[in-house]
Coordinates of all heavy atoms in Angstrom, one line a residue:
M230 N -6.5 -37.5 239.5 CA -5.5 -36.5 239.7 C -4.9 -36.6 241.1 O -5.6 -36.8 242.1 CB -6.1 -35.1 239.5 CG -5.1 -34.0 239.7 SD -6.0 -32.4 239.9 CE -5.6 -31.5 238.5
A231 N -3.6 -36.5 241.2 CA -2.9 -36.7 242.5 C -3.2 -35.6 243.4 O -3.4 -34.4 243.0 CB -1.4 -36.9 242.2
T232 N -3.3 -36.0 244.7 CA -3.5 -35.0 245.7 C -2.1 -34.8 246.4 O -1.5 -35.8 246.8 CB -4.5 -35.4 246.7 OG1 -5.8 -35.6 246.0 CG2 -4.7 -34.4 247.8
T233 N -1.7 -33.6 246.6 CA -0.5 -33.3 247.4 C -0.8 -32.9 248.8 O -1.7 -32.1 249.0 CB 0.3 -32.2 246.7 OG1 0.6 -32.6 245.4 CG2 1.6 -32.0 247.4
R234 N -0.1 -33.5 249.7 CA -0.3 -33.2 251.2 C 1.0 -32.8 251.8 O 2.0 -33.4 251.4 CB -0.9 -34.4 251.9 CG -2.3 -34.8 251.5 CD -2.7 -36.1 252.2 NE -2.0 -37.2 251.7 CZ -1.3 -38.0 252.4 NH1 -1.1 -37.8 253.7 NH2 -0.7 -39.1 251.9
L235 N 0.9 -31.9 252.7 CA 2.1 -31.5 253.5 C 2.0 -32.3 254.8 O 1.1 -32.0 255.6 CB 2.1 -30.0 253.7 CG 3.3 -29.5 254.5 CD1 4.6 -29.7 253.7 CD2 3.2 -28.0 254.8
H236 N 3.0 -33.2 255.0 CA 2.9 -33.9 256.3 C 3.9 -33.3 257.3 O 5.0 -33.0 257.0 CB 3.4 -35.4 256.0 CG 3.5 -36.2 257.2 ND1 2.4 -36.6 257.9 CD2 4.5 -36.6 257.9 CE1 2.7 -37.3 259.0 NE2 4.1 -37.3 259.0
I237 N 3.3 -33.1 258.5 CA 4.1 -32.6 259.6 C 4.5 -33.8 260.5 O 3.6 -34.5 261.0 CB 3.3 -31.6 260.4 CG1 2.9 -30.4 259.5 CG2 4.2 -31.1 261.6 CD1 1.8 -29.6 260.2
D238 N 5.8 -34.0 260.7 CA 6.3 -35.0 261.7 C 6.4 -34.3 263.0 O 7.5 -33.7 263.3 CB 7.6 -35.6 261.2 CG 8.1 -36.7 262.1 OD1 7.5 -36.9 263.2 OD2 9.2 -37.2 261.8
W239 N 5.4 -34.5 263.9 CA 5.5 -33.8 265.2 C 6.6 -34.3 266.1 O 7.0 -33.7 267.0 CB 4.1 -33.9 265.9 CG 3.1 -33.0 265.3 CD1 3.2 -31.7 264.9 CD2 1.7 -33.3 265.1 NE1 2.0 -31.2 264.4 CE2 1.0 -32.2 264.6 CE3 0.9 -34.5 265.4 CZ2 -0.3 -32.1 264.3 CZ3 -0.4 -34.4 265.1 CH2 -1.0 -33.3 264.6
T240 N 7.0 -35.6 265.8 CA 8.1 -36.1 266.6 C 9.4 -35.4 266.3 O 10.3 -35.4 267.2 CB 8.3 -37.6 266.4 OG1 8.7 -37.9 265.1 CG2 7.0 -38.4 266.7
A241 N 9.6 -34.8 265.2 CA 10.8 -34.1 264.8 C 10.7 -32.6 265.0 O 11.7 -31.9 265.2 CB 11.1 -34.4 263.3
C242 N 9.5 -32.1 265.0 CA 9.2 -30.6 265.1 C 9.5 -30.1 266.5 O 9.3 -30.8 267.4 CB 7.8 -30.4 264.7 SG 7.2 -28.7 265.0
D243 N 10.0 -28.9 266.5 CA 10.2 -28.2 267.8 C 9.2 -27.1 268.1 O 9.3 -26.4 269.1 CB 11.6 -27.7 268.0 CG 11.9 -26.5 267.1 OD1 11.1 -26.1 266.3 OD2 13.1 -26.0 267.2
G244 N 8.3 -26.9 267.2 CA 7.2 -26.0 267.4 C 7.5 -24.6 267.3 O 6.8 -23.7 267.9
R245 N 8.5 -24.2 266.6 CA 8.8 -22.8 266.5 C 7.9 -22.0 265.5 O 7.9 -20.8 265.5 CB 10.3 -22.6 266.1 CG 11.2 -23.0 267.2 CD 12.6 -22.6 267.0 NE 13.5 -23.2 267.9 CZ 14.8 -23.1 267.9 NH1 15.4 -22.4 267.0 NH2 15.5 -23.7 268.8
G246 N 7.3 -22.7 264.6 CA 6.2 -22.1 263.8 C 6.6 -21.5 262.4 O 5.8 -20.8 261.9
L247 N 7.8 -21.7 261.9 CA 8.1 -21.2 260.6 C 7.1 -21.6 259.5 O 6.7 -20.7 258.7 CB 9.5 -21.6 260.2 CG 10.0 -21.2 258.8 CD1 10.1 -19.7 258.7 CD2 11.3 -21.8 258.4
C248 N 6.7 -22.8 259.5 CA 5.8 -23.3 258.5 C 4.4 -22.6 258.6 O 3.8 -22.2 257.6 CB 5.6 -24.8 258.6 SG 5.2 -25.4 260.2
A249 N 4.0 -22.3 259.8 CA 2.8 -21.6 260.0 C 2.9 -20.1 259.5 O 1.9 -19.5 259.1 CB 2.4 -21.6 261.5
E250 N 4.1 -19.6 259.6 CA 4.3 -18.2 259.0 C 4.2 -18.2 257.5 O 3.8 -17.3 256.9 CB 5.6 -17.6 259.5 CG 5.5 -17.3 261.0 CD 6.9 -16.8 261.5 OE1 7.7 -16.3 260.7 OE2 7.1 -16.9 262.7
L251 N 4.7 -19.3 256.9 CA 4.8 -19.4 255.4 C 3.4 -19.7 254.8 O 3.1 -19.4 253.7 CB 5.8 -20.4 255.0 CG 7.2 -20.0 255.2 CD1 8.2 -21.2 255.0 CD2 7.6 -18.9 254.3
L252 N 2.6 -20.5 255.6 CA 1.3 -20.9 255.1 C 0.2 -20.6 256.2 O -0.5 -21.4 256.7 CB 1.3 -22.4 254.8 CG 2.2 -22.9 253.7 CD1 2.5 -24.3 253.8 CD2 1.5 -22.6 252.3
P253 N 0.0 -19.3 256.5 CA -0.8 -18.9 257.6 C -2.3 -19.2 257.4 O -3.0 -19.3 258.4 CB -0.6 -17.4 257.7 CG -0.2 -17.0 256.3 CD 0.6 -18.1 255.8
H254 N -2.7 -19.4 256.1 CA -4.2 -19.7 255.9 C -4.4 -21.2 256.0 O -5.6 -21.6 256.0 CB -4.6 -19.1 254.5 CG -3.7 -19.6 253.4 ND1 -2.4 -19.2 253.3 CD2 -3.9 -20.4 252.4 CE1 -1.8 -19.8 252.3 NE2 -2.8 -20.5 251.7
L255 N -3.3 -22.0 256.1 CA -3.5 -23.4 256.2 C -3.0 -24.0 257.5 O -3.6 -25.0 257.9 CB -2.7 -24.1 255.0 CG -3.1 -23.8 253.6 CD1 -2.2 -24.6 252.6 CD2 -4.6 -24.3 253.4
I256 N -2.0 -23.4 258.1 CA -1.4 -24.0 259.3 C -1.5 -23.0 260.4 O -1.1 -21.8 260.3 CB 0.1 -24.3 259.0 CG1 0.2 -25.2 257.8 CG2 0.7 -24.9 260.3 CD1 1.7 -25.5 257.5
G257 N -2.1 -23.5 261.5 CA -2.1 -22.7 262.8 C -1.2 -23.3 263.8 O -0.4 -24.2 263.4
R258 N -1.3 -22.9 265.0 CA -0.4 -23.5 266.1 C -1.3 -23.9 267.2 O -2.2 -23.1 267.6 CB 0.7 -22.5 266.4 CG 1.6 -22.2 265.2 CD 2.6 -21.1 265.6 NE 3.6 -21.7 266.4 CZ 4.6 -21.0 267.0 NH1 4.7 -19.7 266.7 NH2 5.5 -21.6 267.7
D259 N -1.0 -25.0 267.8 CA -1.8 -25.4 269.0 C -1.3 -24.7 270.2 O -0.4 -23.8 270.2 CB -1.7 -27.0 269.1 CG -0.4 -27.5 269.5 OD1 0.5 -26.7 269.9 OD2 -0.2 -28.7 269.4
E260 N -1.8 -25.1 271.4 CA -1.5 -24.4 272.6 C -0.1 -24.5 273.0 O 0.4 -23.8 273.9 CB -2.5 -24.8 273.7 CG -2.5 -26.3 274.1 CD -3.6 -27.0 273.3 OE1 -3.7 -26.8 272.1 OE2 -4.3 -27.8 274.0
W261 N 0.6 -25.5 272.5 CA 2.1 -25.7 272.8 C 3.0 -25.1 271.7 O 4.2 -25.2 271.8 CB 2.4 -27.2 273.0 CG 1.6 -27.8 274.1 CD1 1.9 -27.7 275.5 CD2 0.4 -28.6 274.0 NE1 0.9 -28.4 276.2 CE2 0.0 -28.9 275.3 CE3 -0.3 -29.0 272.9 CZ2 -1.1 -29.7 275.6 CZ3 -1.4 -29.8 273.2 CH2 -1.8 -30.1 274.5
G262 N 2.4 -24.5 270.7 CA 3.1 -23.9 269.6 C 3.4 -24.8 268.4 O 4.0 -24.4 267.4
Y263 N 2.9 -26.1 268.5 CA 3.1 -27.0 267.4 C 2.2 -26.7 266.2 O 1.0 -26.3 266.4 CB 3.0 -28.4 267.8 CG 4.1 -28.9 268.6 CD1 4.2 -28.7 270.0 CD2 5.2 -29.5 268.0 CE1 5.3 -29.1 270.8 CE2 6.3 -29.8 268.8 CZ 6.4 -29.6 270.1 OH 7.5 -30.0 270.9
P264 N 2.7 -26.8 265.0 CA 1.8 -26.5 263.8 C 0.8 -27.6 263.6 O 1.0 -28.8 263.8 CB 2.8 -26.5 262.7 CG 3.9 -27.4 263.1 CD 4.0 -27.3 264.6
A265 N -0.4 -27.2 263.1 CA -1.5 -28.1 262.8 C -2.4 -27.5 261.8 O -2.5 -26.2 261.7 CB -2.2 -28.4 264.1
A266 N -3.0 -28.3 261.0 CA -3.9 -27.8 259.9 C -5.0 -27.0 260.6 O -5.5 -27.4 261.7 CB -4.5 -29.0 259.2
L267 N -5.4 -26.0 260.0 CA -6.5 -25.1 260.5 C -7.9 -25.8 260.3 O -8.8 -25.5 261.0 CB -6.5 -23.8 259.9 CG -5.4 -22.9 260.3 CD1 -5.3 -21.6 259.4 CD2 -5.5 -22.5 261.8
T268 N -8.0 -26.7 259.3 CA -9.2 -27.3 259.0 C -9.0 -28.8 259.0 O -7.9 -29.3 259.0 CB -9.8 -26.9 257.7 OG1 -8.9 -27.3 256.7 CG2 -10.1 -25.4 257.6
G269 N -10.1 -29.6 259.1 CA -10.0 -31.0 259.1 C -10.1 -31.6 260.5 O -9.9 -30.9 261.5
G270 N -10.4 -32.9 260.6 CA -10.5 -33.5 261.9 C -9.1 -33.7 262.6 O -8.1 -33.4 262.0
V271 N -9.2 -34.3 263.8 CA -7.9 -34.5 264.5 C -6.9 -35.3 263.8 O -5.8 -35.0 263.7 CB -8.3 -35.1 265.9 CG1 -7.0 -35.5 266.6 CG2 -9.1 -34.1 266.7
S272 N -7.4 -36.4 263.1 CA -6.5 -37.3 262.4 C -5.9 -36.7 261.2 O -4.9 -37.2 260.7 CB -7.3 -38.6 262.0 OG -8.3 -38.2 261.1
A273 N -6.5 -35.6 260.7 CA -6.0 -34.9 259.5 C -5.1 -33.7 259.8 O -4.6 -33.0 258.9 CB -7.1 -34.5 258.6
R274 N -4.9 -33.4 261.1 CA -4.2 -32.2 261.4 C -2.7 -32.1 261.1 O -2.1 -31.1 261.0 CB -4.4 -31.9 262.9 CG -5.9 -31.7 263.2 CD -6.2 -30.9 264.4 NE -6.0 -29.5 264.1 CZ -5.8 -28.6 265.0 NH1 -5.8 -28.9 266.2 NH2 -5.5 -27.3 264.7
S275 N -2.1 -33.3 260.8 CA -0.7 -33.3 260.5 C -0.5 -33.6 259.0 O 0.6 -33.8 258.5 CB 0.1 -34.3 261.3 OG -0.4 -35.6 261.1
D276 N -1.6 -33.7 258.2 CA -1.6 -34.0 256.8 C -2.5 -33.0 256.1 O -3.7 -33.1 256.1 CB -2.0 -35.4 256.5 CG -0.9 -36.4 256.7 OD1 0.1 -36.4 256.0 OD2 -1.1 -37.2 257.6
I277 N -1.8 -32.0 255.5 CA -2.6 -30.8 255.0 C -2.6 -30.8 253.5 O -1.6 -30.8 252.8 CB -1.8 -29.5 255.5 CG1 -1.7 -29.6 257.0 CG2 -2.5 -28.3 255.0 CD1 -0.7 -28.6 257.6
P278 N -3.8 -30.9 253.0 CA -4.0 -30.9 251.5 C -3.4 -29.5 251.0 O -3.7 -28.5 251.5 CB -5.5 -31.0 251.3 CG -6.0 -31.5 252.5 CD -5.1 -31.0 253.6
I279 N -2.6 -29.7 249.9 CA -2.0 -28.5 249.3 C -2.4 -28.3 247.9 O -2.3 -29.2 247.0 CB -0.4 -28.6 249.3 CG1 0.1 -28.8 250.8 CG2 0.3 -27.5 248.6 CD1 -0.1 -27.6 251.6
G280 N -3.1 -27.2 247.6 CA -3.5 -26.9 246.3 C -2.4 -26.3 245.4 O -1.3 -25.9 246.0
Q281 N -2.6 -26.2 244.2 CA -1.6 -25.7 243.2 C -1.1 -24.3 243.7 O 0.1 -24.1 243.6 CB -2.2 -25.6 241.8 CG -1.2 -25.4 240.7 CD -0.2 -26.6 240.6 OE1 -0.6 -27.7 240.7 NE2 1.0 -26.3 240.2
A282 N -1.9 -23.5 244.1 CA -1.5 -22.1 244.5 C -0.6 -22.1 245.7 O 0.1 -21.1 245.9 CB -2.8 -21.3 244.8
D283 N -0.6 -23.1 246.5 CA 0.2 -23.1 247.7 C 1.4 -24.0 247.6 O 2.2 -24.1 248.5 CB -0.6 -23.6 248.9 CG -1.7 -22.6 249.3 OD1 -1.4 -21.4 249.3 OD2 -2.8 -23.0 249.5
L284 N 1.6 -24.6 246.4 CA 2.7 -25.6 246.3 C 4.1 -24.9 246.5 O 5.0 -25.5 247.1 CB 2.7 -26.2 244.9 CG 2.1 -27.6 244.8 CD1 2.2 -28.1 243.3 CD2 2.8 -28.6 245.7
E285 N 4.3 -23.7 245.9 CA 5.6 -23.1 246.0 C 5.9 -22.8 247.5 O 7.0 -23.0 248.0 CB 5.6 -21.8 245.2 CG 7.0 -21.2 245.1 CD 7.0 -20.0 244.1 OE1 6.1 -19.9 243.2 OE2 7.8 -19.1 244.4
A286 N 4.9 -22.2 248.2 CA 5.1 -21.9 249.7 C 5.3 -23.2 250.5 O 6.2 -23.2 251.4 CB 3.9 -21.1 250.2
A287 N 4.6 -24.3 250.1 CA 4.8 -25.5 250.8 C 6.2 -26.1 250.5 O 6.9 -26.6 251.5 CB 3.8 -26.5 250.4
D288 N 6.7 -26.0 249.3 CA 8.0 -26.4 249.0 C 9.1 -25.6 249.8 O 10.1 -26.2 250.3 CB 8.3 -26.1 247.5 CG 8.2 -27.4 246.6 OD1 8.4 -28.5 247.2 OD2 8.0 -27.3 245.4
E289 N 8.8 -24.3 249.9 CA 9.7 -23.5 250.7 C 9.7 -23.9 252.1 O 10.8 -23.9 252.8 CB 9.3 -22.0 250.5 CG 10.3 -21.0 251.1 CD 9.9 -19.6 250.9 OE1 8.8 -19.3 250.3 OE2 10.7 -18.7 251.2
A290 N 8.6 -24.2 252.7 CA 8.5 -24.6 254.1 C 9.3 -25.9 254.3 O 10.0 -26.0 255.2 CB 7.0 -24.8 254.5
V291 N 9.1 -26.9 253.3 CA 9.9 -28.1 253.4 C 11.4 -27.8 253.4 O 12.2 -28.3 254.2 CB 9.5 -29.1 252.3 CG1 10.5 -30.3 252.2 CG2 8.1 -29.5 252.4
A292 N 11.8 -26.9 252.5 CA 13.2 -26.6 252.4 C 13.8 -25.9 253.6 O 15.0 -26.1 254.0 CB 13.5 -25.8 251.1
L293 N 13.0 -25.1 254.2 CA 13.4 -24.2 255.3 C 13.2 -24.8 256.7 O 13.8 -24.3 257.7 CB 12.8 -22.8 255.2 CG 13.1 -22.0 254.0 CD1 12.3 -20.7 254.0 CD2 14.6 -21.7 253.9
C294 N 12.4 -25.8 256.8 CA 12.2 -26.4 258.1 C 13.5 -26.8 258.7 O 14.2 -27.7 258.2 CB 11.2 -27.6 258.0 SG 11.1 -28.5 259.6
P295 N 13.9 -26.3 259.9 CA 15.2 -26.5 260.4 C 15.4 -27.9 260.9 O 16.6 -28.4 261.1 CB 15.4 -25.5 261.5 CG 14.0 -25.2 261.9 CD 13.2 -25.3 260.7
L296 N 14.3 -28.7 261.1 CA 14.4 -30.0 261.7 C 14.0 -31.1 260.7 O 13.8 -32.2 261.1 CB 13.6 -30.1 263.0 CG 14.2 -29.1 264.1 CD1 13.3 -29.1 265.3 CD2 15.6 -29.6 264.5
V297 N 13.8 -30.7 259.5 CA 13.4 -31.7 258.4 C 12.2 -32.4 258.9 O 12.1 -33.7 258.7 CB 14.6 -32.6 258.1 CG1 14.3 -33.3 256.7 CG2 15.9 -31.9 258.0
A298 N 11.2 -31.7 259.4 CA 10.0 -32.3 259.9 C 8.8 -32.2 259.0 O 7.7 -32.6 259.3 CB 9.6 -31.6 261.2
L299 N 9.1 -31.7 257.8 CA 8.0 -31.5 256.8 C 8.3 -32.3 255.5 O 9.5 -32.4 255.1 CB 7.8 -30.1 256.4 CG 7.4 -29.1 257.5 CD1 7.5 -27.7 257.0 CD2 6.0 -29.4 258.0
R300 N 7.3 -32.9 254.9 CA 7.5 -33.6 253.7 C 6.2 -33.4 252.8 O 5.1 -33.3 253.3 CB 7.6 -35.2 253.9 CG 9.0 -35.6 254.3 CD 9.0 -37.1 254.3 NE 8.1 -37.7 255.2 CZ 7.6 -38.9 255.1 NH1 7.9 -39.7 254.1 NH2 6.8 -39.4 256.0
L301 N 6.4 -33.3 251.5 CA 5.3 -33.3 250.6 C 5.1 -34.7 250.1 O 6.0 -35.4 249.7 CB 5.6 -32.4 249.4 CG 5.4 -30.9 249.7 CD1 5.9 -30.0 248.5 CD2 4.0 -30.5 250.0
L302 N 3.8 -35.1 250.2 CA 3.4 -36.5 249.8 C 2.4 -36.4 248.7 O 1.5 -35.5 248.8 CB 2.8 -37.3 251.0 CG 3.7 -37.3 252.2 CD1 2.9 -38.0 253.4 CD2 5.0 -38.1 252.0
A303 N 2.5 -37.2 247.7 CA 1.5 -37.3 246.6 C 0.7 -38.6 246.7 O 1.4 -39.7 246.8 CB 2.1 -37.1 245.3
D304 N -0.6 -38.6 246.7 CA -1.4 -39.8 246.8 C -1.5 -40.4 245.4 O -1.5 -39.8 244.4 CB -2.8 -39.5 247.3 CG -2.8 -39.0 248.8 OD1 -1.8 -39.4 249.5 OD2 -3.7 -38.3 249.1
Ligands
SF4_669 S1 9.1 -25.3 260.3 FE1 9.5 -27.4 260.9 S2 10.3 -27.3 263.0 FE2 9.3 -25.3 262.6 S3 7.2 -25.5 263.3 FE3 7.2 -26.1 261.2 S4 7.5 -28.4 261.2 FE4 8.1 -27.6 263.2

């Protein structure tokens, strides 16, 4: 079964946090305001596993990100 991940491109993001507001149980913000996964190691902080229940909100975050810094990836 494919795994869906929400990838955050920190080089494009400006750290305003809209995605963290849409997925507050999955995405927090670091000390500079940039979004990062609440769980997982450092290398996984910009690739957030998305379960079926969060797909709609993740889709919305991708569509609303003002800097096109979010993508949904399927493994
Ligand atoms: S919505 Fe986009 S620009 Fe805003 S914090 Fe999230 S990834 Fe960054």
